[in-house]
Amino acid sequence: MNKVILAMAICLGLTACGGNGTKKDNAVKVQQSQPQGTKDCVEVLYFHGKQRCATCMAIEKNTKEAIEAQFSDELKNGTVVFKTIDISKAENEKIAEKYEVTWSSLFISKWKDGKETYENLTEYAFANARTAPDTFKNGIIEKINGMLK
């Protein structure tokens, strides 16, 4: 009986926030060209749907806190950009398709010389944002610093 309840709780949790919502591959990917008029920068993209679990909300909160604390000057001058994207809205359909996102997800994207490289940090975010927020924040800061180089 306990195993059945545990299995149901896990399934409910995954459906509530949509599970990982992205392909499992978190390798660095290269996209097409940069939108015209966009300068070189690092974008941190947090995607979510209408329903969000505690972990999903912790991902957004802790990502935002880390970026604002560590990269305030870069946020002001546009070198670092943080975007929260509700994929349940029609206007965000194209960007969700671009990153193959179907639910809560976290990406860090580097735009350099008209080309984009990005990394899917969704698994890392779900593993750490709520249970190890300091570890999560340090990892985000490290990734952004690496992409700013």
Side-chain angles (χ1 to χ4, degrees), residues 16 48-53 86-89 103-104:
H48 68 86
K50 281 185 182 180
Q51 290 182 292
R52 298 200 288 168
C53 66
D86 183 346
I87 62 170
S88 67
K89 294 184 176 180
W103 212 261
S104 292

Side-chain angles (χ1 to χ4, degrees), residues 3 9 23 26 31 33 40 44-46 54 57 61 77-78 83 105 119-121 128 134 140 149:
K3 289 180 182 178
K23 291 187 172 184
N26 70 340
Q31 278 292 349
S33 59
D40 292 349
V44 181
L45 308 171
Y46 168 65
M57 290 183 279
K61 175 186 173 285
N77 68 27
K83 294 180 183 175
S105 304
E119 192 167 343
N120 181 348
L121 296 180
N128 294 292
D134 291 336
I140 295 298
K149 292 180 181 178

Side-chain angles (χ1 to χ4, degrees), residues 5-85:
I5 293 171
L6 177 62
M8 288 174 59
I10 290 170
C11 289
L12 180 61
L14 288 174
T15 3
C17 67
N20 164 317
T22 62
K23 291 187 172 184
K24 292 230 181 224
D25 182 15
N26 70 340
V28 173
K29 308 226 178 182
V30 177
Q31 278 292 349
Q32 284 80 16
S33 59
Q34 187 170 355
Q36 203 166 10
T38 306
K39 69 179 196 169
D40 292 349
C41 66
V42 173
E43 287 183 321
V44 181
L45 308 171
Y46 168 65
F47 297 91
H48 68 86
K50 281 185 182 180
Q51 290 182 292
R52 298 200 288 168
C53 66
T55 303
C56 298
M57 290 183 279
I59 293 169
E60 179 181 15
K61 175 186 173 285
N62 290 323
T63 301
K64 186 176 182 180
E65 285 178 6
I67 292 169
E68 287 175 348
Q70 197 69 31
F71 301 102
S72 61
D73 291 340
E74 292 84 352
L75 281 169
K76 287 176 191 164
N77 68 27
T79 307
V80 172
V81 177
F82 177 66
K83 294 180 183 175
T84 298
I85 302 161

Side-chain angles (χ1 to χ4, degrees), residues 70-128:
Q70 197 69 31
F71 301 102
S72 61
D73 291 340
E74 292 84 352
L75 281 169
K76 287 176 191 164
N77 68 27
T79 307
V80 172
V81 177
F82 177 66
K83 294 180 183 175
T84 298
I85 302 161
D86 183 346
I87 62 170
S88 67
K89 294 184 176 180
E91 66 264 23
N92 295 324
E93 194 174 302
K94 282 192 183 228
I95 193 165
E97 286 176 9
K98 172 184 172 182
Y99 292 96
E100 299 178 349
V101 170
T102 57
W103 212 261
S104 292
S105 304
L106 182 66
F107 285 77
I108 296 184
S109 172
K110 177 180 182 172
W111 287 99
K112 179 78 174 163
D113 299 327
K115 301 228 183 280
E116 179 188 30
T117 18
Y118 66 85
E119 192 167 343
N120 181 348
L121 296 180
T122 303
E123 269 188 50
Y124 174 78
F126 271 89
N128 294 292

